[in-house]
Amino acid sequence: MHTVFRPWFSRALTILIGVICATGLVITVIHDGWAAAWTFGPWLALLAGAVWAMYWHPFVEVREDGVRVVNIVRAIDIPWHCLTEVEVVWSLTFTTSAGRFAAWAAPAPSAIKSIREARRQPGLLRRRSDRTVADPDPERSGLHSLQALTREIQRAWDGARSEGSSATATVSVNWHGYIMLVGGALLALTVLSAVTA
């Protein structure tokens, strides 16, 4: 089993912003020459890179041994036996023996919509039950984009429980050093270009 969840809107937005930034840079060079590329290029690159890091890079992967949550600057590997709760409030959030981790790639419905639903259905914002995923019924919770994902997580989680999973693995968190390094370099370039413009 190998399921990757990355919203199509996030990919479409990343491509759109990338095309806009590239087009803007080409137009700037044609109109004002290569010197203008130093003034505006770093800003456009920073914008495109930030959008990629926030919207294309993050994803949620459901695997046989657990779930992998890749956020902007870190990746969290959660074995099934370490998972105690999954809920959807502001985003898909995993409660584990090592803490709580929210999935950037799986935001819940808007805050206003969530609050409105909570007022109509007390307890919707926080459903707690051992080994229970937040209710994926779109008619009740509005989780249209997360419905398939939550059901897949529930099936995999139940399957791991019935088969019995190894208790030796632990939750691991790995930081994306390359994203922080590249982001810092682009930010430094934008500051330098602004100072020397």
Side-chain angles (χ1 to χ4, degrees), residues 86-157:
V86 180
E87 60 182 345
V88 180
V89 180
W90 310 116
S91 65
L92 182 64
T93 303
F94 301 88
T95 301
T96 74
S97 55
R100 289 166 55 85
F101 303 97
W104 180 272
S110 68
I112 294 176
K113 185 173 182 179
S114 296
I115 292 172
R116 188 182 300 121
E117 290 292 334
R119 287 175 178 172
R120 287 203 294 259
Q121 304 176 52
L124 174 64
L125 289 182
R126 194 169 185 79
R127 298 179 181 274
R128 286 188 172 277
S129 178
D130 185 36
R131 292 190 178 279
T132 299
V133 172
D135 188 354
D137 185 349
E139 295 301 319
R140 297 179 58 194
S141 61
L143 305 179
H144 298 285
S145 62
L146 297 182
Q147 183 180 12
L149 177 62
T150 54
R151 286 178 176 172
E152 184 68 21
I153 290 173
Q154 184 70 75
R155 284 195 295 267
W157 198 4

Side-chain angles (χ1 to χ4, degrees), residues 16-161:
L16 176 63
I17 296 300
V19 170
I20 291 174
C21 289
T23 303
L25 182 60
V26 170
I27 292 174
T28 298
V29 171
I30 292 174
H31 187 268
D32 298 321
W34 285 103
W38 168 244
T39 302
F40 298 102
W43 292 93
L44 295 173
L46 179 62
L47 174 60
V51 172
W52 176 86
M54 290 188 295
Y55 293 103
W56 185 286
H57 177 63
F59 63 87
V60 177
E61 180 183 5
V62 183
R63 303 181 297 193
E64 292 185 0
D65 59 343
V67 61
R68 179 175 175 83
V69 179
V70 176
N71 288 336
I72 299 174
V73 295
R74 65 177 183 174
I76 305 100
D77 291 294
I78 306 171
W80 293 122
H81 80 273
C82 294
L83 190 61
T84 59
E85 179 187 0
V86 180
E87 60 182 345
V88 180
V89 180
W90 310 116
S91 65
L92 182 64
T93 303
F94 301 88
T95 301
T96 74
S97 55
R100 289 166 55 85
F101 303 97
W104 180 272
S110 68
I112 294 176
K113 185 173 182 179
S114 296
I115 292 172
R116 188 182 300 121
E117 290 292 334
R119 287 175 178 172
R120 287 203 294 259
Q121 304 176 52
L124 174 64
L125 289 182
R126 194 169 185 79
R127 298 179 181 274
R128 286 188 172 277
S129 178
D130 185 36
R131 292 190 178 279
T132 299
V133 172
D135 188 354
D137 185 349
E139 295 301 319
R140 297 179 58 194
S141 61
L143 305 179
H144 298 285
S145 62
L146 297 182
Q147 183 180 12
L149 177 62
T150 54
R151 286 178 176 172
E152 184 68 21
I153 290 173
Q154 184 70 75
R155 284 195 295 267
W157 198 4
D158 290 342
R161 178 178 58 178

